[in-house]
Amino acid sequence: MLKISNTLSGKVEEFRPLIGNQVRMYTCGPTVYDYAHIGNFRTFVFQDVLKRYLRFKGREVRHVMNITDVDDKTIRNSGASNPAQLRQYTDRFTDAFFEDCGQLRIQRPDVVAHATDHIAEMVALIQTLRAKGYTYEKEGSIYFRIAQFKDYGKLSKLDAEGIMAGARVDVDEYGKQDARDFVLWKATKNGEPHWETALGPGRPGWHIECSAMSMKYLGETFDLHSGAVDLVFPHHENEIAQSEAATEKPFVRYWMHGEHLIVEGEKMSKSKGNFYTLRDLAEKGIDPLEVRYALQSVPYKRPLNFTFDLLHQAGKSLGRLQDFKLRLTTEKLKPGSSEKAREASAAAHQDFERAMDDDLNTAQALAAVFDWVRDLNTELSEGRLCEDDRQRALQTLERFNQVLELWRSDETELDEKIRSLIEQRTQARKSRNFALADQIRDQIHELGYVIEDTKEGIRWKKR
Ligand code: AMP
Ligand code: ZN
């Protein structure tokens, strides 16, 4: 049974979806004013692992993610003066974001919702809040009156003083009655992109999009919502206030918040300038899969310190898995199965699942994978591994890979290629065509491997 830390209850709880086997899950997506950095991707990888693990456990998951394509930063960076220009600018970074996700093997959400495609839904939600007396208007902007919502602070556990201290003092919001209040709809400033709506000309505030779009696609009460810890307050606290004030129903049942990627003691962020994008790292020759591995190597509830050594270690771990998999696919094995290998596989499955059930303890899950790899390598070296064990081990690897993405797909092709070349070479030698056999050996050499003929058969290793 999967247990997760729920920020709302402050406890580790068993996860049970509201409706049968269906999990309705929302995640706050990127603000597309620039390339995302790998700190952002730590959170997106954590959410990807969560979704994959729910599916691994047989759940049906519907995942919705927003794209924040209108806010102060997108408007500032684009210099746009109307929605079409703004969209032209943000589309570039939305595309770049999904390219990076592809490189990191982050699966695409079932629904990707752009804020600017949902202005009507946001306006309707603000109208509902207005009709219920939760809003007030100053100089064309509309604010949410926090004093009216008695549960305010239940997610972040902040008291009024903490909320004051944390509230963003926004120059746009000089009309607020209470420093804690937040803006739902911003009046048009000269020359900024805006929409003509029943609320007057303007643009949505920072928080309303997530309430409007999550409820549109997942219903008024849904199962899971997540982001990194910086979103607990005020963003998620405000989402709860807007949604629950409007529907008078619980908004989200489980809130999950991941810890940050840290650089020398500080959160990786654009504003501090201490960040790397995936593209920066690619230029340094770092494989995106190493980045993914590094990001998921520490459980999401623990801060993770970014270093190049972390990436180096990730590369080494992936290399060990790659070697194991190649060895497993290419070695000649006798028929049957070995007791020890069977036990090792069963234990690996159990340990992996126990670790992931424990609030997604990915470090422990990876440890289970590597213990098993070590045991099977021993069985291979001692010549005890059999044909059935190979099949079972490949399935086990595939199962772990469904959750954690542990090797490049081209590696599977490489394995296949080398395996088939070794076979061709054996055939060539059998028919005493030594010239062809040598030619094939050279081909294998070019792929980065050397083979040796031993009494027990053919052995290969990395050059
Ligand atoms: P943004 O594009 O700023 O809206 O952020 C996208 C996601 O990245 C949000 O869930 C943030 O909470 C998260 N995030 C921002 N900085 C970091 C960091 N250093 N480590 C982990 N997650 C982060
Ligand atoms: Zn959000």
Side-chain angles (χ1 to χ4, degrees):
M1 181 61 82
L2 172 61
K3 289 192 175 150
I4 53 171
S5 309
N6 185 352
T7 313
L8 189 60
S9 65
K11 290 193 188 113
V12 178
E13 290 176 40
E14 251 176 39
F15 174 76
R16 287 175 196 281
L18 188 62
I19 303 170
N21 201 31
Q22 297 161 25
V23 180
R24 288 165 300 154
M25 158 173 171
Y26 185 87
T27 57
C28 292
T31 309
V32 283
Y33 69 108
D34 202 345
Y35 297 109
H37 57 67
I38 58 164
N40 302 131
F41 281 118
R42 179 180 189 200
T43 298
F44 296 122
V45 166
F46 137 58
Q47 293 159 336
D48 186 58
V49 169
L50 168 65
K51 175 168 71 177
R52 285 163 172 267
Y53 189 59
L54 287 163
R55 287 183 175 150
F56 174 98
K57 303 274 283 181
R59 300 287 194 197
E60 284 161 33
V61 183
R62 177 169 167 83
H63 176 204
V64 178
M65 185 182 78
N66 67 306
I67 299 288
T68 301
D69 58 356
V70 53
D71 79 325
D72 293 344
K73 289 184 258 184
T74 46
I75 290 175
R76 179 195 67 205
N77 281 19
S78 65
S81 57
N82 61 56
Q85 277 177 1
L86 180 64
R87 183 65 180 251
Q88 208 181 11
Y89 177 84
T90 58
D91 272 352
R92 217 182 104 211
F93 291 108
T94 307
D95 291 348
F97 172 75
F98 284 113
E99 266 168 37
D100 289 352
C101 285
Q103 297 276 316
L104 290 167
R105 310 271 181 88
I106 294 171
Q107 291 175 345
R108 204 179 162 90
D110 304 292
V111 178
V112 173
H114 285 76
T116 57
D117 291 337
H118 295 80
I119 301 291
E121 286 83 349
M122 294 186 234
V123 168
L125 185 57
I126 296 169
Q127 284 174 319
T128 304
L129 291 170
R130 180 153 74 182
K132 292 189 169 208
Y134 283 100
T135 69
Y136 59 89
E137 203 166 322
K138 277 274 168 75
E139 332 237 331
S141 291
I142 302 176
Y143 297 92
F144 186 95
R145 195 193 310 276
I146 280 173
Q148 197 87 4
F149 183 70
K150 64 173 183 357
D151 279 347
Y152 198 82
K154 71 175 170 184
L155 184 71
S156 54
K157 327 282 189 259
L158 289 175
D159 55 12
E161 220 167 277
I163 291 166
M164 285 288 227
R168 295 190 166 194
V169 182
D170 185 333
V171 284
D172 283 357
E173 301 181 29
Y174 56 85
K176 291 195 284 191
Q177 287 177 359
D178 182 331
R180 301 176 302 163
D181 292 344
F182 61 91
V183 72
L184 296 165
W185 187 255
K186 290 189 167 193
T188 306
K189 277 204 278 190
N190 262 349
E192 273 186 2
H194 67 274
W195 285 261
E196 295 292 341
T197 71
L199 303 172
R203 62 177 168 103
W206 182 27
H207 314 290
I208 192 76
E209 67 183 83
C210 287
S211 288
M213 297 193 285
S214 62
M215 292 199 289
K216 169 170 178 169
Y217 295 106
L218 297 172
E220 291 177 338
T221 301
F222 58 92
D223 298 300
L224 267 171
H225 195 320
S226 64
V229 284
D230 58 300
L231 295 191
V232 175
F233 180 81
H235 184 54
H236 289 161
E237 197 70 63
N238 291 351
E239 280 189 42
I240 293 175
Q242 296 161 155
S243 310
E244 298 192 352
T247 66
E248 295 167 40
K249 290 180 192 146
F251 175 44
V252 169
R253 303 171 61 243
Y254 301 87
W255 285 92
M256 293 175 78
H257 293 98
E259 286 294 332
H260 286 140
L261 186 66
I262 304 289
V263 188
E264 288 163 3
E266 284 195 289
K267 171 189 168 193
M268 180 178 283
S269 73
K270 274 271 150 61
S271 59
K272 294 202 182 81
N274 60 352
F275 65 90
Y276 290 98
T277 64
L278 203 60
R279 287 140 204 265
D280 297 334
L281 295 177
E283 269 174 28
K284 294 180 189 293
I286 291 162
D287 180 340
L289 207 60
E290 288 172 14
V291 179
R292 180 183 174 112
Y293 188 97
L295 294 177
Q296 70 190 6
S297 65
V298 165
Y300 77 101
K301 287 302 273 182
R302 289 217 298 266
L304 171 59
N305 222 0
F306 174 79
T307 59
F308 280 93
D309 189 51
L310 178 76
L311 295 178
H312 180 66
Q313 295 305 330
K316 285 212 319 215
S317 300
L318 284 170
R320 260 158 67 204
L321 285 170
Q322 180 181 358
D323 287 350
F324 169 66
K325 184 150 174 277
L326 188 58
R327 198 170 170 201
L328 198 59
T329 26
T330 51
E331 256 179 58
K332 197 148 181 56
L333 304 175
K334 52 184 188 285
S337 81
S338 109
E339 178 81 30
K340 203 128 181 231
R342 248 198 333 266
E343 278 169 14
S345 284
H349 273 282
Q350 235 180 34
D351 294 348
F352 180 86
E353 206 160 331
R354 191 178 304 130
M356 292 300 289
D357 276 348
D358 179 14
D359 201 12
L360 307 180
N361 190 335
T362 45
Q364 209 64 69
L366 285 168
V369 175
F370 280 100
D371 282 350
W372 169 72
V373 167
R374 188 201 52 219
D375 289 350
L376 258 63
N377 264 327
T378 310
E379 292 300 284
L380 269 167
S381 303
E382 312 269 316
R384 285 193 296 261
L385 206 82
C386 304
E387 195 51 54
D388 293 353
D389 306 320
R390 177 200 336 256
Q391 294 315 325
R392 198 172 323 105
L394 286 171
Q395 283 163 11
T396 301
L397 268 178
E398 197 43 62
R399 190 109 172 99
F400 295 154
N401 205 46
Q402 274 173 26
V403 183
L404 295 175
E405 286 288 353
L406 297 167
W407 60 82
R408 305 162 194 86
S409 40
D410 53 339
E411 269 165 26
T412 312
E413 278 163 36
L414 181 70
D415 293 353
E416 263 312 300
K417 206 162 175 181
I418 292 176
R419 207 179 54 76
S420 121
L421 284 171
I422 289 175
E423 228 167 75
Q424 286 170 37
R425 182 170 167 276
T426 310
Q427 284 308 319
R429 284 169 63 93
K430 266 194 194 147
S431 48
R432 310 193 65 77
N433 187 347
F434 296 110
L436 180 61
D438 286 349
Q439 201 186 322
I440 295 172
R441 178 196 286 252
D442 290 346
Q443 254 177 292
I444 295 171
H445 195 81
E446 267 165 41
L447 289 169
Y449 291 84
V450 281
I451 50 176
E452 290 163 14
D453 299 296
T454 68
K455 275 203 295 283
E456 293 84 42
I458 291 163
R459 282 276 147 85
W460 56 265
K461 56 177 190 279
K462 243 193 192 135
R463 261 204 293 150

